[in-house]
Amino acid sequence: SRHHRAAVRAWAASPATWDFATGDDTGVVGRWADKALKPTTVPVTDAAVAHLSFSPSGAGLAVADAAGGIWVG
């Protein structure tokens, strides 16, 4: 993705909205809200993002990194 500065290794689609998220090798998560053309990017961890998962309502996003860390927001 041109919106990440490193390789994107994880992505997730919201089950309730049109949102989707991506995570890259530098720990940055991008979230595209409802068909947006640009994501909101946030550095979440210093390790590569390994997994992403939306909550059933689509409001929350869980992030797991390659070092074993987990963040929920």
Short mmCIF file of all heavy atoms in Angstrom, two decimals:
data_model
loop_
_atom_site.label_atom_id
_atom_site.label_comp_id
_atom_site.label_asym_id
_atom_site.label_seq_id
_atom_site.Cartn_x
_atom_site.Cartn_y
_atom_site.Cartn_z
N SER A 1 0.84 -1.19 0.00
CA SER A 1 0.00 0.00 0.00
C SER A 1 0.88 1.25 0.00
O SER A 1 1.87 1.31 0.71
CB SER A 1 -0.89 -0.01 1.23
OG SER A 1 -1.48 1.25 1.43
N ARG A 2 0.52 2.22 -0.73
CA ARG A 2 1.30 3.45 -0.76
C ARG A 2 1.14 4.26 0.52
O ARG A 2 1.84 5.23 0.75
CB ARG A 2 0.92 4.29 -1.97
CG ARG A 2 -0.48 4.84 -1.91
CD ARG A 2 -0.76 5.72 -3.10
NE ARG A 2 -2.08 6.28 -2.96
CZ ARG A 2 -2.96 6.33 -3.90
NH1 ARG A 2 -2.68 5.87 -5.09
NH2 ARG A 2 -4.14 6.86 -3.69
N HIS A 3 0.18 3.87 1.38
CA HIS A 3 -0.04 4.58 2.63
C HIS A 3 0.76 3.99 3.79
O HIS A 3 0.75 4.52 4.88
CB HIS A 3 -1.53 4.57 2.97
CG HIS A 3 -2.36 5.20 1.89
ND1 HIS A 3 -2.32 6.54 1.60
CD2 HIS A 3 -3.21 4.65 1.01
CE1 HIS A 3 -3.14 6.80 0.59
NE2 HIS A 3 -3.69 5.67 0.22
N HIS A 4 1.45 2.90 3.53
CA HIS A 4 2.35 2.30 4.52
C HIS A 4 3.77 2.43 3.98
O HIS A 4 4.00 2.39 2.78
CB HIS A 4 2.03 0.81 4.71
CG HIS A 4 0.82 0.55 5.52
ND1 HIS A 4 0.84 0.50 6.89
CD2 HIS A 4 -0.47 0.31 5.16
CE1 HIS A 4 -0.38 0.24 7.34
NE2 HIS A 4 -1.19 0.13 6.32
N ARG A 5 4.74 2.55 4.89
CA ARG A 5 6.14 2.65 4.48
C ARG A 5 6.85 1.31 4.53
O ARG A 5 8.03 1.23 4.25
CB ARG A 5 6.85 3.66 5.35
CG ARG A 5 6.31 5.06 5.11
CD ARG A 5 7.13 6.09 5.80
NE ARG A 5 6.61 7.40 5.42
CZ ARG A 5 6.75 8.47 6.13
NH1 ARG A 5 7.41 8.42 7.28
NH2 ARG A 5 6.26 9.61 5.72
N ALA A 6 6.13 0.27 4.91
CA ALA A 6 6.69 -1.08 4.98
C ALA A 6 5.66 -2.06 4.42
O ALA A 6 4.51 -1.68 4.19
CB ALA A 6 7.03 -1.44 6.42
N ALA A 7 6.08 -3.29 4.24
CA ALA A 7 5.19 -4.30 3.69
C ALA A 7 3.99 -4.55 4.59
O ALA A 7 4.13 -4.64 5.81
CB ALA A 7 5.95 -5.60 3.49
N VAL A 8 2.82 -4.62 3.99
CA VAL A 8 1.58 -4.93 4.72
C VAL A 8 1.48 -6.44 4.85
O VAL A 8 1.55 -7.16 3.85
CB VAL A 8 0.35 -4.35 4.00
CG1 VAL A 8 -0.94 -4.85 4.62
CG2 VAL A 8 0.42 -2.83 4.02
N ARG A 9 1.34 -6.93 6.08
CA ARG A 9 1.31 -8.37 6.35
C ARG A 9 -0.02 -8.85 6.90
O ARG A 9 -0.26 -10.05 6.96
CB ARG A 9 2.41 -8.74 7.34
CG ARG A 9 3.78 -8.37 6.89
CD ARG A 9 4.24 -9.21 5.75
NE ARG A 9 5.61 -8.84 5.40
CZ ARG A 9 6.18 -9.19 4.29
NH1 ARG A 9 5.55 -9.93 3.41
NH2 ARG A 9 7.41 -8.81 4.03
N ALA A 10 -0.87 -7.93 7.37
CA ALA A 10 -2.15 -8.33 7.96
C ALA A 10 -3.24 -7.37 7.51
O ALA A 10 -2.98 -6.18 7.29
CB ALA A 10 -2.04 -8.32 9.48
N TRP A 11 -4.44 -7.90 7.36
CA TRP A 11 -5.58 -7.04 7.07
C TRP A 11 -6.83 -7.69 7.63
O TRP A 11 -6.87 -8.90 7.88
CB TRP A 11 -5.72 -6.75 5.58
CG TRP A 11 -6.14 -7.91 4.74
CD1 TRP A 11 -5.34 -8.86 4.19
CD2 TRP A 11 -7.48 -8.27 4.40
NE1 TRP A 11 -6.10 -9.78 3.51
CE2 TRP A 11 -7.41 -9.44 3.62
CE3 TRP A 11 -8.73 -7.71 4.66
CZ2 TRP A 11 -8.55 -10.06 3.12
CZ3 TRP A 11 -9.86 -8.33 4.15
CH2 TRP A 11 -9.76 -9.49 3.38
N ALA A 12 -7.85 -6.86 7.85
CA ALA A 12 -9.13 -7.35 8.37
C ALA A 12 -10.24 -6.47 7.84
O ALA A 12 -10.05 -5.26 7.64
CB ALA A 12 -9.14 -7.33 9.89
N ALA A 13 -11.40 -7.06 7.62
CA ALA A 13 -12.60 -6.34 7.20
C ALA A 13 -13.62 -6.38 8.33
O ALA A 13 -13.80 -7.40 8.98
CB ALA A 13 -13.18 -6.98 5.94
N SER A 14 -14.26 -5.26 8.55
CA SER A 14 -15.28 -5.19 9.60
C SER A 14 -16.49 -6.01 9.19
O SER A 14 -16.95 -5.93 8.04
CB SER A 14 -15.70 -3.74 9.83
OG SER A 14 -16.85 -3.68 10.63
N PRO A 15 -17.08 -6.77 10.13
CA PRO A 15 -18.27 -7.54 9.80
C PRO A 15 -19.55 -6.69 9.76
O PRO A 15 -20.57 -7.14 9.25
CB PRO A 15 -18.35 -8.57 10.94
CG PRO A 15 -17.69 -7.90 12.08
CD PRO A 15 -16.59 -7.05 11.47
N ALA A 16 -19.48 -5.46 10.27
CA ALA A 16 -20.69 -4.66 10.39
C ALA A 16 -20.69 -3.36 9.57
O ALA A 16 -21.73 -2.75 9.40
CB ALA A 16 -20.90 -4.30 11.87
N THR A 17 -19.51 -2.94 9.09
CA THR A 17 -19.41 -1.69 8.34
C THR A 17 -18.55 -1.94 7.09
O THR A 17 -18.11 -3.06 6.86
CB THR A 17 -18.74 -0.59 9.18
OG1 THR A 17 -17.37 -0.93 9.40
CG2 THR A 17 -19.44 -0.40 10.52
N TRP A 18 -18.28 -0.90 6.36
CA TRP A 18 -17.40 -1.01 5.19
C TRP A 18 -15.93 -0.77 5.57
O TRP A 18 -15.07 -0.69 4.72
CB TRP A 18 -17.82 0.00 4.11
CG TRP A 18 -19.09 -0.37 3.44
CD1 TRP A 18 -20.34 0.10 3.74
CD2 TRP A 18 -19.26 -1.29 2.37
NE1 TRP A 18 -21.26 -0.47 2.91
CE2 TRP A 18 -20.63 -1.34 2.06
CE3 TRP A 18 -18.39 -2.09 1.65
CZ2 TRP A 18 -21.14 -2.14 1.05
CZ3 TRP A 18 -18.90 -2.89 0.64
CH2 TRP A 18 -20.26 -2.91 0.35
N ASP A 19 -15.63 -0.61 6.84
CA ASP A 19 -14.27 -0.35 7.29
C ASP A 19 -13.37 -1.57 7.05
O ASP A 19 -13.83 -2.71 7.10
CB ASP A 19 -14.23 -0.06 8.79
CG ASP A 19 -14.91 1.25 9.16
OD1 ASP A 19 -15.52 1.89 8.29
OD2 ASP A 19 -14.84 1.61 10.35
N PHE A 20 -12.09 -1.30 6.81
CA PHE A 20 -11.09 -2.36 6.84
C PHE A 20 -9.79 -1.79 7.39
O PHE A 20 -9.61 -0.58 7.47
CB PHE A 20 -10.92 -3.07 5.49
CG PHE A 20 -10.24 -2.29 4.42
CD1 PHE A 20 -8.88 -2.43 4.19
CD2 PHE A 20 -10.95 -1.45 3.59
CE1 PHE A 20 -8.24 -1.73 3.18
CE2 PHE A 20 -10.34 -0.75 2.57
CZ PHE A 20 -8.98 -0.89 2.38
N ALA A 21 -8.92 -2.68 7.83
CA ALA A 21 -7.67 -2.26 8.45
C ALA A 21 -6.52 -3.07 7.89
O ALA A 21 -6.69 -4.21 7.45
CB ALA A 21 -7.76 -2.47 9.96
N THR A 22 -5.33 -2.45 7.91
CA THR A 22 -4.10 -3.12 7.48
C THR A 22 -3.02 -2.89 8.52
O THR A 22 -3.03 -1.89 9.23
CB THR A 22 -3.63 -2.55 6.12
OG1 THR A 22 -3.52 -1.13 6.23
CG2 THR A 22 -4.57 -2.90 5.00
N GLY A 23 -2.09 -3.84 8.61
CA GLY A 23 -0.97 -3.70 9.53
C GLY A 23 0.32 -4.04 8.81
O GLY A 23 0.36 -4.96 7.99
N ASP A 24 1.38 -3.29 9.12
CA ASP A 24 2.62 -3.50 8.38
C ASP A 24 3.77 -3.98 9.26
O ASP A 24 3.62 -4.18 10.46
CB ASP A 24 3.00 -2.25 7.58
CG ASP A 24 3.49 -1.07 8.41
OD1 ASP A 24 3.94 -1.25 9.55
OD2 ASP A 24 3.44 0.06 7.88
N ASP A 25 4.92 -4.18 8.63
CA ASP A 25 6.12 -4.71 9.30
C ASP A 25 6.73 -3.77 10.33
O ASP A 25 7.55 -4.19 11.14
CB ASP A 25 7.19 -5.06 8.26
CG ASP A 25 6.95 -6.40 7.60
OD1 ASP A 25 6.08 -7.17 8.07
OD2 ASP A 25 7.64 -6.70 6.60
N THR A 26 6.36 -2.49 10.31
CA THR A 26 6.91 -1.54 11.29
C THR A 26 5.96 -1.28 12.45
O THR A 26 6.23 -0.43 13.29
CB THR A 26 7.27 -0.20 10.62
OG1 THR A 26 6.08 0.40 10.11
CG2 THR A 26 8.31 -0.38 9.53
N GLY A 27 4.83 -1.98 12.50
CA GLY A 27 3.88 -1.82 13.60
C GLY A 27 2.84 -0.74 13.38
O GLY A 27 2.11 -0.37 14.30
N VAL A 28 2.72 -0.24 12.16
CA VAL A 28 1.72 0.78 11.85
C VAL A 28 0.43 0.10 11.38
O VAL A 28 0.46 -0.82 10.57
CB VAL A 28 2.24 1.74 10.77
CG1 VAL A 28 1.15 2.69 10.30
CG2 VAL A 28 3.43 2.52 11.29
N VAL A 29 -0.69 0.59 11.92
CA VAL A 29 -2.01 0.10 11.51
C VAL A 29 -2.71 1.22 10.76
O VAL A 29 -2.72 2.37 11.20
CB VAL A 29 -2.85 -0.33 12.73
CG1 VAL A 29 -4.28 -0.63 12.34
CG2 VAL A 29 -2.21 -1.54 13.40
N GLY A 30 -3.28 0.87 9.61
CA GLY A 30 -4.08 1.81 8.84
C GLY A 30 -5.52 1.37 8.88
O GLY A 30 -5.82 0.19 8.77
N ARG A 31 -6.43 2.33 9.09
CA ARG A 31 -7.85 2.01 9.11
C ARG A 31 -8.57 2.88 8.09
O ARG A 31 -8.53 4.10 8.16
CB ARG A 31 -8.42 2.22 10.51
CG ARG A 31 -9.87 1.79 10.60
CD ARG A 31 -10.33 1.75 12.04
NE ARG A 31 -11.72 1.34 12.11
CZ ARG A 31 -12.31 0.94 13.21
NH1 ARG A 31 -11.63 0.90 14.33
NH2 ARG A 31 -13.57 0.59 13.20
N TRP A 32 -9.21 2.21 7.15
CA TRP A 32 -10.01 2.88 6.13
C TRP A 32 -11.45 2.87 6.62
O TRP A 32 -12.05 1.81 6.78
CB TRP A 32 -9.93 2.13 4.81
CG TRP A 32 -8.72 2.38 3.99
CD1 TRP A 32 -8.65 3.20 2.91
CD2 TRP A 32 -7.42 1.83 4.14
NE1 TRP A 32 -7.38 3.18 2.38
CE2 TRP A 32 -6.60 2.35 3.13
CE3 TRP A 32 -6.85 0.95 5.07
CZ2 TRP A 32 -5.27 2.01 2.98
CZ3 TRP A 32 -5.52 0.61 4.94
CH2 TRP A 32 -4.75 1.15 3.90
N ALA A 33 -12.02 4.05 6.84
CA ALA A 33 -13.38 4.16 7.34
C ALA A 33 -14.37 4.28 6.18
O ALA A 33 -14.24 5.18 5.36
CB ALA A 33 -13.51 5.35 8.26
N ASP A 34 -15.31 3.36 6.12
CA ASP A 34 -16.45 3.40 5.19
C ASP A 34 -16.08 3.86 3.77
O ASP A 34 -16.47 4.93 3.34
CB ASP A 34 -17.55 4.27 5.75
CG ASP A 34 -18.87 4.09 5.01
OD1 ASP A 34 -19.00 3.13 4.23
OD2 ASP A 34 -19.76 4.93 5.20
N LYS A 35 -15.30 3.06 3.09
CA LYS A 35 -14.93 3.29 1.68
C LYS A 35 -14.01 4.49 1.47
O LYS A 35 -13.95 5.05 0.38
CB LYS A 35 -16.16 3.42 0.81
CG LYS A 35 -17.10 2.26 0.87
CD LYS A 35 -18.32 2.53 0.01
CE LYS A 35 -19.47 1.67 0.43
NZ LYS A 35 -20.71 2.06 -0.17
N ALA A 36 -13.31 4.93 2.50
CA ALA A 36 -12.39 6.06 2.38
C ALA A 36 -11.26 5.71 1.42
O ALA A 36 -10.86 4.57 1.29
CB ALA A 36 -11.82 6.43 3.74
N LEU A 37 -10.74 6.72 0.75
CA LEU A 37 -9.64 6.51 -0.19
C LEU A 37 -8.28 6.57 0.49
O LEU A 37 -7.28 6.17 -0.09
CB LEU A 37 -9.71 7.55 -1.31
CG LEU A 37 -10.98 7.47 -2.16
CD1 LEU A 37 -10.97 8.59 -3.20
CD2 LEU A 37 -11.10 6.12 -2.84
N LYS A 38 -8.24 7.11 1.72
CA LYS A 38 -7.00 7.20 2.50
C LYS A 38 -7.27 6.69 3.90
O LYS A 38 -8.31 6.97 4.47
CB LYS A 38 -6.57 8.66 2.60
CG LYS A 38 -5.56 9.10 1.60
CD LYS A 38 -5.27 10.57 1.74
CE LYS A 38 -4.05 10.82 2.56
NZ LYS A 38 -3.63 12.23 2.51
N PRO A 39 -6.31 5.96 4.46
CA PRO A 39 -6.51 5.48 5.82
C PRO A 39 -6.06 6.49 6.86
O PRO A 39 -5.29 7.40 6.58
CB PRO A 39 -5.60 4.26 5.87
CG PRO A 39 -4.44 4.67 5.01
CD PRO A 39 -5.08 5.45 3.88
N THR A 40 -6.54 6.29 8.06
CA THR A 40 -5.97 6.92 9.23
C THR A 40 -4.91 5.94 9.72
O THR A 40 -5.22 4.77 9.97
CB THR A 40 -7.04 7.14 10.32
OG1 THR A 40 -8.05 7.98 9.79
CG2 THR A 40 -6.43 7.75 11.55
N THR A 41 -3.65 6.37 9.81
CA THR A 41 -2.58 5.47 10.23
C THR A 41 -2.10 5.82 11.62
O THR A 41 -2.02 6.99 11.98
CB THR A 41 -1.39 5.49 9.24
OG1 THR A 41 -0.92 6.82 9.11
CG2 THR A 41 -1.79 4.93 7.89
N VAL A 42 -1.82 4.77 12.40
CA VAL A 42 -1.39 4.93 13.78
C VAL A 42 -0.27 3.95 14.08
O VAL A 42 -0.43 2.75 13.81
CB VAL A 42 -2.56 4.67 14.75
CG1 VAL A 42 -2.12 4.80 16.19
CG2 VAL A 42 -3.73 5.58 14.45
N PRO A 43 0.87 4.41 14.62
CA PRO A 43 1.89 3.46 15.06
C PRO A 43 1.41 2.78 16.35
O PRO A 43 1.15 3.46 17.34
CB PRO A 43 3.12 4.33 15.30
CG PRO A 43 2.60 5.71 15.49
CD PRO A 43 1.28 5.79 14.79
N VAL A 44 1.26 1.47 16.32
CA VAL A 44 0.71 0.74 17.46
C VAL A 44 1.80 0.01 18.24
O VAL A 44 1.74 -0.08 19.46
CB VAL A 44 -0.38 -0.25 16.99
CG1 VAL A 44 -0.89 -1.10 18.13
CG2 VAL A 44 -1.53 0.51 16.34
N THR A 45 2.80 -0.52 17.55
CA THR A 45 3.82 -1.34 18.18
C THR A 45 5.15 -1.16 17.45
O THR A 45 5.17 -0.64 16.33
CB THR A 45 3.38 -2.82 18.18
OG1 THR A 45 4.44 -3.63 18.67
CG2 THR A 45 3.02 -3.30 16.79
N ASP A 46 6.23 -1.61 18.05
CA ASP A 46 7.53 -1.58 17.40
C ASP A 46 7.79 -2.84 16.58
O ASP A 46 8.74 -2.90 15.81
CB ASP A 46 8.65 -1.41 18.43
CG ASP A 46 8.64 -0.03 19.06
OD1 ASP A 46 8.20 0.93 18.40
OD2 ASP A 46 9.07 0.10 20.21
N ALA A 47 6.97 -3.85 16.77
CA ALA A 47 7.13 -5.12 16.05
C ALA A 47 6.14 -5.17 14.88
O ALA A 47 5.21 -4.38 14.80
CB ALA A 47 6.88 -6.30 17.00
N ALA A 48 6.35 -6.10 13.99
CA ALA A 48 5.46 -6.27 12.84
C ALA A 48 4.07 -6.67 13.30
O ALA A 48 3.90 -7.45 14.24
CB ALA A 48 6.01 -7.36 11.92
N VAL A 49 3.06 -6.12 12.64
CA VAL A 49 1.68 -6.51 12.93
C VAL A 49 1.45 -7.88 12.31
O VAL A 49 1.69 -8.09 11.12
CB VAL A 49 0.68 -5.48 12.36
CG1 VAL A 49 -0.74 -5.94 12.55
CG2 VAL A 49 0.91 -4.12 13.01
N ALA A 50 1.00 -8.83 13.13
CA ALA A 50 0.79 -10.20 12.66
C ALA A 50 -0.67 -10.52 12.40
O ALA A 50 -0.98 -11.28 11.49
CB ALA A 50 1.37 -11.19 13.68
N HIS A 51 -1.57 -9.95 13.22
CA HIS A 51 -3.00 -10.25 13.09
C HIS A 51 -3.83 -9.02 13.44
O HIS A 51 -3.46 -8.24 14.31
CB HIS A 51 -3.41 -11.38 14.04
CG HIS A 51 -2.64 -12.64 13.85
ND1 HIS A 51 -2.87 -13.51 12.81
CD2 HIS A 51 -1.63 -13.18 14.57
CE1 HIS A 51 -2.03 -14.52 12.90
NE2 HIS A 51 -1.26 -14.34 13.95
N LEU A 52 -4.97 -8.90 12.77
CA LEU A 52 -5.95 -7.84 13.05
C LEU A 52 -7.32 -8.48 13.12
O LEU A 52 -7.61 -9.41 12.35
CB LEU A 52 -5.95 -6.79 11.94
CG LEU A 52 -4.68 -5.98 11.74
CD1 LEU A 52 -4.74 -5.25 10.40
CD2 LEU A 52 -4.51 -4.98 12.86
N SER A 53 -8.19 -7.96 13.99
CA SER A 53 -9.55 -8.47 14.07
C SER A 53 -10.49 -7.39 14.59
O SER A 53 -10.21 -6.77 15.62
CB SER A 53 -9.61 -9.69 15.01
OG SER A 53 -10.92 -10.21 15.05
N PHE A 54 -11.58 -7.18 13.88
CA PHE A 54 -12.60 -6.24 14.31
C PHE A 54 -13.54 -6.91 15.29
O PHE A 54 -13.77 -8.12 15.23
CB PHE A 54 -13.43 -5.75 13.11
CG PHE A 54 -12.78 -4.65 12.33
CD1 PHE A 54 -12.02 -4.92 11.22
CD2 PHE A 54 -12.96 -3.32 12.69
CE1 PHE A 54 -11.44 -3.92 10.47
CE2 PHE A 54 -12.38 -2.29 11.96
CZ PHE A 54 -11.62 -2.59 10.85
N SER A 55 -14.13 -6.11 16.17
CA SER A 55 -15.19 -6.60 17.05
C SER A 55 -16.44 -6.86 16.21
O SER A 55 -16.54 -6.36 15.07
CB SER A 55 -15.50 -5.57 18.14
OG SER A 55 -16.05 -4.40 17.56
N PRO A 56 -17.41 -7.60 16.71
CA PRO A 56 -18.63 -7.87 15.93
C PRO A 56 -19.37 -6.61 15.47
O PRO A 56 -19.94 -6.59 14.38
CB PRO A 56 -19.49 -8.69 16.90
CG PRO A 56 -18.50 -9.39 17.77
CD PRO A 56 -17.39 -8.37 17.96
N SER A 57 -19.31 -5.54 16.26
CA SER A 57 -19.99 -4.30 15.87
C SER A 57 -19.17 -3.47 14.89
O SER A 57 -19.69 -2.53 14.29
CB SER A 57 -20.27 -3.45 17.11
OG SER A 57 -19.06 -2.93 17.63
N GLY A 58 -17.88 -3.81 14.75
CA GLY A 58 -16.99 -3.05 13.88
C GLY A 58 -16.38 -1.83 14.55
O GLY A 58 -15.55 -1.16 13.96
N ALA A 59 -16.77 -1.55 15.79
CA ALA A 59 -16.26 -0.36 16.48
C ALA A 59 -14.86 -0.57 17.04
O ALA A 59 -14.06 0.35 17.07
CB ALA A 59 -17.21 0.03 17.60
N GLY A 60 -14.54 -1.79 17.48
CA GLY A 60 -13.25 -2.07 18.07
C GLY A 60 -12.34 -2.81 17.12
O GLY A 60 -12.80 -3.49 16.20
N LEU A 61 -11.04 -2.68 17.33
CA LEU A 61 -10.05 -3.37 16.52
C LEU A 61 -8.97 -3.93 17.44
O LEU A 61 -8.40 -3.21 18.26
CB LEU A 61 -9.41 -2.41 15.51
CG LEU A 61 -8.35 -3.00 14.58
CD1 LEU A 61 -8.98 -4.04 13.64
CD2 LEU A 61 -7.67 -1.90 13.79
N ALA A 62 -8.71 -5.22 17.31
CA ALA A 62 -7.63 -5.87 18.07
C ALA A 62 -6.43 -6.04 17.16
O ALA A 62 -6.57 -6.40 15.98
CB ALA A 62 -8.10 -7.22 18.60
N VAL A 63 -5.24 -5.80 17.72
CA VAL A 63 -3.98 -5.91 16.99
C VAL A 63 -3.05 -6.83 17.75
O VAL A 63 -2.85 -6.66 18.95
CB VAL A 63 -3.31 -4.52 16.84
CG1 VAL A 63 -2.00 -4.63 16.09
CG2 VAL A 63 -4.25 -3.52 16.19
N ALA A 64 -2.49 -7.81 17.09
CA ALA A 64 -1.47 -8.69 17.67
C ALA A 64 -0.19 -8.54 16.86
O ALA A 64 -0.24 -8.50 15.62
CB ALA A 64 -1.92 -10.14 17.67
N ASP A 65 0.94 -8.41 17.57
CA ASP A 65 2.20 -8.25 16.84
C ASP A 65 3.04 -9.52 16.88
O ASP A 65 2.72 -10.48 17.59
CB ASP A 65 2.97 -7.02 17.33
CG ASP A 65 3.57 -7.16 18.72
OD1 ASP A 65 3.72 -8.29 19.23
OD2 ASP A 65 3.92 -6.11 19.30
N ALA A 66 4.10 -9.53 16.10
CA ALA A 66 4.96 -10.70 15.96
C ALA A 66 5.74 -11.01 17.24
O ALA A 66 6.23 -12.12 17.40
CB ALA A 66 5.93 -10.50 14.80
N ALA A 67 5.82 -10.06 18.16
CA ALA A 67 6.54 -10.27 19.42
C ALA A 67 5.62 -10.79 20.52
O ALA A 67 6.05 -11.00 21.64
CB ALA A 67 7.19 -8.97 19.88
N GLY A 68 4.33 -10.99 20.21
CA GLY A 68 3.38 -11.51 21.19
C GLY A 68 2.54 -10.46 21.90
O GLY A 68 1.75 -10.80 22.76
N GLY A 69 2.70 -9.21 21.55
CA GLY A 69 1.90 -8.14 22.16
C GLY A 69 0.51 -8.08 21.56
O GLY A 69 0.31 -8.41 20.39
N ILE A 70 -0.45 -7.65 22.38
CA ILE A 70 -1.84 -7.50 21.93
C ILE A 70 -2.35 -6.14 22.38
O ILE A 70 -2.14 -5.74 23.53
CB ILE A 70 -2.73 -8.62 22.52
CG1 ILE A 70 -2.26 -9.97 22.02
CG2 ILE A 70 -4.19 -8.38 22.16
CD1 ILE A 70 -2.99 -11.14 22.66
N TRP A 71 -3.03 -5.44 21.50
CA TRP A 71 -3.64 -4.15 21.78
C TRP A 71 -5.07 -4.20 21.31
O TRP A 71 -5.38 -4.73 20.24
CB TRP A 71 -2.93 -3.02 21.06
CG TRP A 71 -1.56 -2.78 21.59
CD1 TRP A 71 -1.19 -1.83 22.49
CD2 TRP A 71 -0.37 -3.50 21.27
NE1 TRP A 71 0.14 -1.93 22.77
CE2 TRP A 71 0.68 -2.96 22.03
CE3 TRP A 71 -0.09 -4.57 20.43
CZ2 TRP A 71 1.98 -3.43 21.97
CZ3 TRP A 71 1.21 -5.05 20.38
CH2 TRP A 71 2.22 -4.48 21.14
N VAL A 72 -5.99 -3.65 22.11
CA VAL A 72 -7.41 -3.60 21.76
C VAL A 72 -7.86 -2.17 21.86
O VAL A 72 -7.62 -1.50 22.86
CB VAL A 72 -8.26 -4.51 22.68
CG1 VAL A 72 -9.73 -4.42 22.31
CG2 VAL A 72 -7.77 -5.95 22.60
N GLY A 73 -8.51 -1.69 20.82
CA GLY A 73 -8.98 -0.30 20.85
C GLY A 73 -10.22 -0.10 20.03
O GLY A 73 -10.72 -0.94 19.36
#
